[in-house]
Amino acid sequence: MLSIEKYQQEFTAYLKAYSTVKEPKNLYDPIDYILALGGKRLRPVLTLMTTDVFNGDYKGALNAALSIEVFHNFSLVHDDIMDDAPLRRGHKTVHEKWDVNTGILSGDAMLIMAYQLFENYDANTFQALAKLFSKTALEVCEGQQYDVDFETRNDVTIPEYLKMIEYKTAVLVGAAMKMGAIIAGASIEDQHSIYEFGKNLGIAFQLQDDYLDAFGDPKTFGKQVGGDIIENKKTYLYLKALEFSNDDDKVKLAQLFASHPQNTDSKIKEAKALFVASGSAEETKQAIKNYTSNAFKVLETLNISEEKKMLLKAFGNNLMNRTV
């Protein structure tokens, strides 16, 4: 098996070769632009790594890894339009650099291109990959709709929130790993288990993102700390604080998350104080540990060597010990 950095290098080289000049330029230039903005390339790396874990040739998984990355970036292009976001990874979003119509059409093309990449596999592998991809893509859309719906609801429950982040974020992590297992010819049981490993890790990853948004180090987080608080997002931290708070603090929290002050510093400070005082901050950290632990339990069921189980565990620990 290779190091994470080596998988990233191999994938980046493959991605660059894939990004060729095509016509019409106004359709393909935005696609090249968003794919070149970087990011952690977490999902494609997981596909390559999982193929190796199950004794396959990771190079045979490069098209599936690319499909996952193209789809992920397609979803970002459309998400940015829905959120009217000006920046993505520190650069102008596609619809800001071009326009909304270009963003919609280029995003549509990316979804089709993601499917096209499966045509490089034999019929049985193609069918298995396409079936998983269709299920996952639809769940990501469902997760996005739940997220939109929650913006105007004041009765979101913890189970509903967890379902939303499972669909919006975690299923794609699980699918990325299952694709690697499919390409390597792993058993159906192992394919299912590695999917569950990835999904649980994906939920932990998103919960940690919620936590870092409020309590991350501004120097390393890469985004504005407190962004979710400013936007009145009902994250796990907020929902748990509501659950744990006394009546007075519940009212304070609800009022805070209905406000749009010019100076947001005091709003962020007050919200964070309520998250800590209620026990929500600690409970969120515990939930991250629980989902990570659930992922690690799944590893015991895999038919792979102990050494490979330890490598997957080390990867999970590194992911959960991030500060960005």
Side-chain angles (χ1 to χ4, degrees):
M1 286 183 68
L2 308 179
S3 65
I4 299 300
E5 292 75 20
K6 183 64 176 167
Y7 287 125
Q8 285 171 328
Q9 288 166 12
E10 290 273 330
F11 176 75
T12 302
Y14 198 73
L15 174 62
K16 280 181 182 169
Y18 173 75
S19 300
T20 55
V21 178
K22 295 179 192 171
E23 293 289 342
K25 288 176 71 66
N26 282 339
L27 178 68
Y28 291 106
D29 281 359
I31 295 172
D32 284 348
Y33 171 77
I34 187 72
L35 288 174
L37 286 187
K40 294 177 282 290
R41 312 293 191 197
L42 169 69
R43 295 155 194 82
V45 163
L46 286 174
T47 303
L48 302 181
M49 185 171 72
T50 307
T51 307
D52 256 352
V53 162
F54 290 109
N55 300 316
D57 179 1
Y58 77 88
K59 290 191 175 180
L62 281 164
N63 282 303
L66 185 52
S67 174
I68 284 282
E69 185 69 358
V70 171
F71 173 78
H72 174 59
N73 280 275
F74 141 74
S75 71
L76 298 182
V77 171
H78 280 195
D79 282 3
D80 288 341
I81 293 170
M82 293 173 73
D83 295 341
D84 197 21
L87 296 174
R88 167 67 61 184
R89 296 168 187 149
H91 295 78
K92 278 188 177 181
T93 48
V94 167
H95 71 277
E96 282 287 329
K97 188 171 172 64
W98 282 271
D99 54 47
V100 170
N101 287 348
T102 300
I104 292 169
L105 195 57
S106 293
D108 290 345
M110 290 173 81
L111 179 59
I112 297 160
M113 289 161 71
Y115 268 106
Q116 269 188 329
L117 285 157
F118 298 138
E119 293 170 9
N120 295 292
Y121 296 97
D122 65 75
N124 288 337
T125 306
F126 172 89
Q127 185 180 34
L129 292 173
K131 187 175 178 182
L132 172 62
F133 184 85
S134 297
K135 173 181 174 288
T136 305
L138 198 55
E139 286 172 339
V140 170
C141 291
E142 290 170 3
Q144 175 68 6
Q145 186 61 56
Y146 283 131
D147 197 21
V148 170
D149 291 347
F150 291 174
E151 288 176 16
T152 55
R153 279 181 52 192
N154 294 315
D155 59 348
V156 179
T157 65
I158 293 286
E160 283 179 318
Y161 182 75
L162 289 171
K163 183 178 183 181
M164 184 272 287
I165 63 173
E166 177 185 333
Y167 280 19
K168 191 176 175 184
T169 301
V171 294
L172 197 57
V173 179
M177 300 196 82
K178 188 173 180 179
M179 281 186 184
I182 289 168
I183 291 161
S187 69
I188 297 297
E189 292 77 16
D190 279 345
Q191 288 177 28
H192 174 73
S193 292
I194 202 69
Y195 176 87
E196 289 298 314
F197 171 78
K199 188 179 77 174
N200 277 288
L201 216 53
I203 294 171
F205 183 87
Q206 184 57 53
L207 288 175
Q208 190 187 43
D209 216 50
D210 288 359
Y211 181 85
L212 290 173
D213 189 272
F215 297 103
D217 183 343
K219 294 186 186 119
T220 58
F221 185 49
K223 293 188 281 186
Q224 180 181 17
V225 171
D228 287 345
I229 297 167
I230 294 167
E231 292 171 31
N232 295 328
K233 284 198 172 178
K234 300 169 185 78
T235 63
Y236 192 86
L237 275 166
Y238 170 80
L239 294 172
K240 275 292 172 187
L242 266 189
E243 182 186 332
F244 292 160
S245 293
N246 59 41
D247 289 344
D248 286 346
D249 283 348
K250 278 181 184 174
V251 171
K252 271 189 210 168
L253 204 57
Q255 288 174 341
L256 206 57
F257 274 71
S259 67
H260 300 276
Q262 286 290 102
N263 184 350
T264 56
D265 289 349
S266 59
K267 177 178 177 175
I268 293 169
K269 189 176 177 182
E270 198 175 338
K272 286 169 68 171
L274 288 167
F275 290 163
V276 172
S278 66
S280 166
E282 204 53 46
E283 176 63 23
T284 302
K285 287 200 283 188
Q286 188 56 50
I288 295 164
K289 286 179 186 171
N290 291 345
Y291 277 100
T292 307
S293 175
N294 289 344
F296 292 163
K297 282 175 191 168
V298 174
L299 291 180
E300 298 312 309
T301 68
L302 290 175
N303 293 300
I304 57 174
S305 68
E306 287 303 315
E307 183 188 1
K308 286 178 176 175
K309 287 178 186 177
M310 292 309 293
L311 284 169
L312 286 171
K313 197 168 183 179
F315 174 82
N317 279 326
N318 286 338
L319 203 61
M320 291 310 119
N321 289 329
R322 70 194 172 108
T323 55
V324 295

